[in-house]
Amino acid sequence: MAVGLSVFLGDLGASLAQTIESITVTARKKDESFIDVPVSLQVFSKLDINRYKASSLTEIAEMANQVMLMPAGSGAGAAFVVRGISSSTLDPGLNTSVSIDIDGMQISRGRIVREAMFDIESIEILKGPQALFFGKNNSAGVVSINSAGPGTEWEFIAKVFYEFEADEFIGEAIISGPINDKVGIRLAYQGSTAQGWMKNVSGPIENTFPSLALEPFDFPGAFNDRKGDYSQHIARLTLQLDPSDAFTATFKIMGSSMNMNGTQLTEVLHCLGDFPVTNGLVDPTGDCIINGVQSQGAIPQEIRENFDGLEDRPNGDGFASYDSLLATLDMSYTWNNYVLSSITGVHAYDWFRWDNFDGTTFNQLEGIQDETSTVFSQEVRLHSTYDNPFNFMFGMFYERIDRDSDNQGKIAAVGVNPDNGFSNNWAGFSTVKGKVFSVFGQLIWDVTEDLELAAGARWSKVEKSMFEGILYSHPLLAGLFLEPGQLIEADFDDNNVSPEATITWHVRDNFTVYGAYKSGYKAGGFSTQTIINSGTTPESVVYQEEKAKGGEIGFKSTLMDNRMRLNGTIYYYNFDGIQDSVFNAAIVNFSIINADARAKGFDLDMNFAATDRLMLRAQVGYNEAKYRSFTNAPCYGLQTVEEGCHVNETGLGGPGFVQDLTGRTRLLAPKWSGSVGASYDAPISNDISFGLSGELIFTDSYGTQAALNPVAFQGSTVKINVAVRVYSDDDRWEVALIGRNLTNELMIANSADKPGNAGDVFGQILRGRQIGIEAIFRY
């Protein structure tokens, strides 16, 4: 036993030969050493990604400091947050302030959070504004994801993973290699399914309520006692052509199809009474705490059968589907002292969602959103590679956007529509079209061998148009909605110049100090909420652009004979016009308003090869993201005058009652965050090794809604991830036991005042504990 323990632990001081591997990044859209780039970023290899089976954007973000990528049940689909800066999740008309760049295609729609992330080579998370090198909508940051490409030898990889808490199965198959010396191919597929991780305890209830006389149907409860079940298929084909030393081309196409029983992974966080209430109906099966249990009833069959858009649904439970296609063509041609590159991208998706939005077993507030989107983009850039002090980069970017959204909903028990027999209260539609054109350039001056000055700017021209309206509404609610046949039409045109300047000093080969002035821009647009009411005007649906400017000072280093990587950044940025969505009680609708904020703080990260077997990791960040001006912020439910709620006397944006949140910390902006971790590997025989990894992740408390309701704050959390693996030294096979969030922290991604009862609050909950087994085979 003593011998076995000695083999397991090894001699921690026996060898210091292991070094930190060098990292190549593309933060400036060309291959550069990590230490040379004047950008605050964190880079994660496929080893980092696979350590704890990170297979979604939410799990990937957990590896980085001051970053959250979280799904939302409705609206924009997700909250992508860097350093406490993000756009609201409540309105589907909003793009994200953090772009997701997949193989060179920029995506600013939150729906992308629904796609599995698999067969990834590396991830670069760029923090702060990134307007110069990444086309648009990057006022807070960029998450750049690079999928794996063909290798120089043929390989076949098979992976199977089973997670016990959600009864989740993930299978993956990859075949890759060279067709000949000029063409390579890689085909990767992942299929996954889960029974669900959240319990749904909603049970059948007899309808004895006089207030529902027009709809005297019993409530069936939930047809599925688990929530979070899904099935997904996703495949990617990569073709890499290298016909000559001067020209390369890589084509990638990925298709994804997902179905799940709704997106409302919500719990009621706080109740005015002992149980959740909707329209005066008290839910006896619901509770008012975060415990991984919800009470979400299905819609009665009599209503479902006549609900426009639900005719083919087998039952009344929530349902969502997401089908997407992403294709990119990346080409590069080198001649003399120039490199000409082109990236063409197409991203299209079809999103359908039906859900219960009242948070109780009674299902009195339900709706459908059917959204299709197509984005085409083309970027061309030229940069010089002269062996002299001066070089340049110049490029152009074009994007075309087409998005249609149809919606049907029900907010009142008024019976079927006598005009058409439908049980839903209304049906609406919206269409948004847009074009973006930009020109950008940068001059680089190597003042000395160790000192670089660079300056550039991006000029953007944005044109958008929209129209929306109501197809029909119930006669008893006709005064609430826009008159059928009446169109709301609006245009948005804008120009912007976003400059950037950096200074980089290579103090030594392994130590770099840099300073940067940066700016960012996200265009304005249109609110496309599902309830288009009679008070809607073209002016009320337009929101303005979001801008950022500020700077950072940082350092990057490899120390102790290349065994330690240590990086740090201090930053200060002002944000003008952050796009927040609020509920306007005066016209029973959501609207988008702009607020001003400031983010300042620092972050540090370290990787240390303590021995040839032991790797240590640590990161810490402090961030103050506060409103500089937000005088027309919404009030939360039942907020009193003494608590700061007052009549909106200006009439400029926001709801009828507002509060002043100037100086308050923004939502989704924890002050402190960080993690510590270690990985230890040792042989247990001549050709088999053992690996142990652990991570402790801390996140400070944060608000979860724009109104900063004091009952809707997420407390500080500590998550623990652990992985134990046994593998062959020739990398042919591997078996691992993986635990994520072993402390079972149920974190709030976002929250809102629960419809149907003032004072109740519900929120989207992130997945809790995960424990699974993975087997990997390589040939």
Side-chain angles (χ1 to χ4, degrees):
M1 180 175 178
V3 173
L5 184 61
S6 176
V7 171
F8 171 73
L9 292 177
D11 181 2
L12 293 184
S15 172
L16 297 177
Q18 185 179 7
T19 59
I20 300 291
E21 64 176 342
S22 60
I23 301 175
T24 299
V25 298
T26 57
R28 295 197 290 185
K29 290 298 183 78
K30 59 181 179 179
D31 291 341
E32 296 180 278
S33 170
F34 172 86
I35 203 169
D36 292 336
V37 180
V39 177
S40 176
L41 78 160
Q42 288 185 266
V43 183
F44 301 97
S45 67
K46 59 183 176 182
L47 177 64
D48 300 318
I49 299 165
N50 295 331
R51 182 177 293 120
Y52 304 112
K53 193 63 179 178
S55 58
S56 68
L57 286 174
T58 300
E59 294 169 349
I60 286 169
E62 193 176 77
M63 299 186 298
N65 212 17
Q66 301 175 330
V67 178
M68 294 187 288
L69 309 175
M70 304 182 296
S74 59
F80 296 161
V81 191
V82 174
R83 295 173 175 169
I85 302 301
S86 64
S87 292
S88 172
T89 65
L90 297 177
D91 196 302
L94 282 170
N95 290 321
T96 59
S97 298
V98 178
S99 286
I100 309 297
D101 187 291
I102 301 180
D103 293 323
M105 174 74 178
Q106 288 185 68
I107 299 168
S108 300
R109 299 294 295 168
R111 309 289 177 216
I112 193 69
V113 78
R114 300 294 172 184
E115 291 194 27
M117 296 293 137
F118 81 116
D119 196 29
I120 303 300
E121 186 67 28
S122 66
I123 294 174
E124 302 174 24
I125 299 182
L126 290 70
K127 302 176 183 179
Q130 307 292 331
L132 181 56
F133 292 96
F134 293 84
K136 64 179 190 61
N137 293 344
N138 304 303
S139 53
V142 173
V143 178
S144 180
I145 300 172
N146 306 300
S147 64
T152 57
E153 297 181 358
W154 281 99
E155 64 176 343
F156 174 76
I157 304 172
K159 301 181 181 181
V160 290
F161 175 77
Y162 181 78
E163 198 281 317
F164 296 93
E165 298 285 329
D167 289 315
E168 180 180 40
F169 174 82
I170 302 175
E172 193 170 323
I174 301 165
I175 185 168
S176 176
I179 296 177
N180 54 44
D181 62 348
K182 298 184 184 302
V183 180
I185 187 172
R186 188 178 186 93
L187 180 61
Y189 165 81
Q190 184 187 93
S192 56
T193 183
Q195 296 300 309
W197 61 270
M198 181 177 282
K199 295 180 180 179
N200 190 349
V201 297
S202 173
I205 295 178
E206 183 182 359
N207 186 351
T208 60
F209 302 103
S211 61
L212 302 180
L214 294 177
E215 296 178 4
F217 314 120
D218 293 339
F219 307 105
F223 285 91
N224 191 335
D225 62 0
R226 300 170 77 172
K227 199 77 170 180
D229 74 316
Y230 77 94
S231 63
Q232 184 171 43
H233 299 275
I234 185 168
R236 181 190 294 111
L237 171 66
T238 301
L239 292 173
Q240 185 170 310
L241 290 81
D242 297 296
S244 69
D245 292 339
F247 179 76
T248 63
T250 303
F251 173 73
K252 298 189 177 188
I253 183 168
M254 180 175 70
S256 174
S257 179
M258 182 210 69
N259 294 299
M260 62 187 299
N261 69 340
T263 62
Q264 290 294 90
L265 292 168
T266 57
E267 292 193 54
V268 180
L269 318 176
H270 174 81
C271 295
L272 191 62
D274 295 329
F275 297 95
V277 174
T278 293
N279 297 345
L281 312 179
V282 180
D283 185 357
T285 61
D287 60 32
C288 307
I289 58 174
I290 303 175
N291 56 3
V293 178
Q294 66 170 208
S295 177
Q296 290 268 15
I299 193 172
Q301 179 179 349
E302 296 87 348
I303 296 176
R304 174 182 59 80
E305 290 177 344
N306 297 306
F307 203 106
D308 188 8
L310 286 184
E311 299 86 353
D312 298 328
R313 293 296 304 140
N315 59 58
D317 265 347
F319 173 75
S321 65
Y322 177 82
D323 300 310
S324 73
L325 179 71
L326 173 65
T328 59
L329 176 59
D330 189 349
M331 298 183 290
S332 178
Y333 179 69
T334 303
W335 83 101
N336 296 329
N337 296 302
Y338 301 98
V339 177
L340 179 65
S341 59
S342 167
I343 180 74
T344 307
V346 175
H347 181 233
Y349 69 78
D350 190 344
W351 165 258
F352 179 91
R353 184 213 66 212
W354 148 257
D355 262 316
N356 168 4
F357 292 98
D358 76 5
T360 72
T361 198
F362 301 111
N363 200 336
Q364 292 298 295
L365 306 167
E366 57 263 349
I368 289 175
Q369 182 183 23
D370 188 354
E371 181 178 291
T372 60
S373 173
T374 302
V375 177
F376 168 83
S377 67
Q378 175 65 58
E379 182 178 271
V380 178
R381 67 178 64 228
L382 176 71
H383 71 262
S384 65
T385 58
Y386 287 107
D387 189 18
N388 62 42
F390 294 96
N391 278 286
F392 69 88
M393 179 275 296
F394 174 78
M396 295 182 289
F397 174 83
Y398 171 79
E399 182 183 74
R400 187 181 68 244
I401 305 162
D402 292 282
R403 186 169 70 251
D404 295 304
S405 182
D406 297 327
N407 58 83
Q408 297 88 22
K410 183 174 181 295
I411 57 175
V414 292
V416 298
N417 189 327
D419 297 332
N420 52 32
F422 290 137
S423 57
N424 49 296
N425 298 155
W426 83 90
F429 63 91
S430 67
T431 294
V432 175
K433 297 182 180 295
K435 295 179 181 179
V436 178
F437 177 74
S438 63
V439 179
F440 54 93
Q442 183 186 48
L443 293 175
I444 302 172
W445 177 25
D446 292 327
V447 182
T448 69
E449 185 177 343
D450 300 320
L451 184 65
E452 176 196 278
L453 295 178
R458 178 183 291 265
W459 172 82
S460 299
K461 169 68 173 176
V462 180
E463 297 178 354
K464 294 182 181 181
S465 63
M466 69 88 69
F467 61 89
E468 63 181 7
I470 293 290
L471 293 173
Y472 60 83
S473 61
H474 196 287
L476 294 180
L477 302 174
L480 175 63
F481 296 100
L482 193 72
E483 183 179 346
Q486 181 182 350
L487 281 182
I488 298 295
E489 299 181 83
D491 295 302
F492 180 89
D493 298 316
D494 194 29
N495 292 278
N496 174 263
V497 177
S498 297
E500 176 180 310
T502 61
I503 180 170
T504 310
W505 179 29
H506 303 293
V507 182
R508 298 193 303 269
D509 289 342
N510 59 356
F511 192 90
T512 297
V513 177
Y514 69 91
Y517 169 83
K518 292 192 173 185
S519 58
Y521 170 72
K522 185 171 75 146
F526 316 103
S527 170
T528 56
Q529 268 296 335
T530 54
I531 300 177
I532 308 172
N533 56 53
S534 57
T536 303
T537 65
E539 293 76 19
S540 69
V541 300
V542 177
Y543 59 87
Q544 299 306 309
E545 67 276 4
E546 179 176 304
K547 298 179 181 179
K549 62 181 178 181
E552 57 193 55
I553 299 173
F555 71 90
K556 300 178 179 182
S557 65
T558 53
L559 309 172
M560 301 178 65
D561 295 326
N562 226 30
R563 291 192 296 116
M564 175 184 286
R565 180 181 297 117
L566 181 65
N567 312 299
T569 309
I570 300 173
Y571 56 88
Y572 186 103
Y573 286 99
N574 284 328
F575 296 84
D576 296 331
I578 289 180
Q579 295 155 357
D580 277 315
S581 182
V582 299
F583 185 68
N584 192 329
I587 57 173
V588 195
N589 200 3
F590 289 89
S591 59
I592 299 175
I593 56 178
N594 297 83
D596 299 336
R598 175 180 295 115
K600 61 180 180 179
F602 70 87
D603 57 50
L604 291 166
D605 64 87
M606 178 273 292
N607 286 266
F608 176 44
T611 75
D612 62 337
R613 298 175 182 175
L614 179 64
M615 180 71 72
L616 304 177
R617 299 175 295 276
Q619 57 183 347
V620 63
Y622 176 79
N623 179 61
E624 283 191 11
K626 294 185 176 182
Y627 290 110
R628 292 164 35 232
S629 176
F630 198 12
T631 58
N632 59 341
C635 298
Y636 53 83
L638 302 184
Q639 184 177 2
T640 66
V641 173
E642 291 75 18
E643 292 168 327
C645 185
H646 60 272
V647 174
N648 183 2
E649 297 177 350
T650 66
L652 299 176
F657 291 88
V658 297
Q659 59 174 320
D660 186 355
L661 293 181
T662 301
R664 295 284 302 278
T665 299
R666 274 183 50 79
L667 76 163
L668 304 178
K671 283 191 175 182
W672 287 98
S673 59
S675 66
V676 292
S679 295
Y680 178 78
D681 289 84
I684 56 177
S685 72
N686 289 336
D687 55 3
I688 299 177
S689 294
F690 169 91
L692 175 64
S693 297
E695 224 83 20
L696 186 150
I697 304 166
F698 171 77
T699 304
D700 209 348
S701 60
Y702 57 86
T704 63
Q705 58 176 259
L708 298 182
N709 190 330
V711 303
F713 270 71
Q714 169 66 54
S716 60
T717 57
V718 175
K719 292 184 178 181
I720 296 177
N721 297 341
V722 175
V724 182
R725 60 190 75 241
V726 178
Y727 57 92
S728 65
D729 292 341
D730 62 4
D731 208 29
R732 291 291 185 180
W733 60 268
E734 177 180 323
V735 178
L737 176 64
I738 301 171
R740 296 182 57 88
N741 190 8
L742 294 180
T743 49
N744 198 31
E745 298 280 11
L746 298 175
M747 300 178 66
I748 309 169
N750 51 77
S751 70
D753 294 337
K754 192 184 78 63
N757 194 52
D760 287 5
V761 177
F762 71 166
Q764 189 84 359
I765 308 301
L766 298 180
R767 190 168 173 176
R769 182 187 297 115
Q770 301 176 53
I771 300 175
I773 296 177
E774 182 177 44
I776 303 175
F777 304 92
R778 300 180 179 92
Y779 302 95

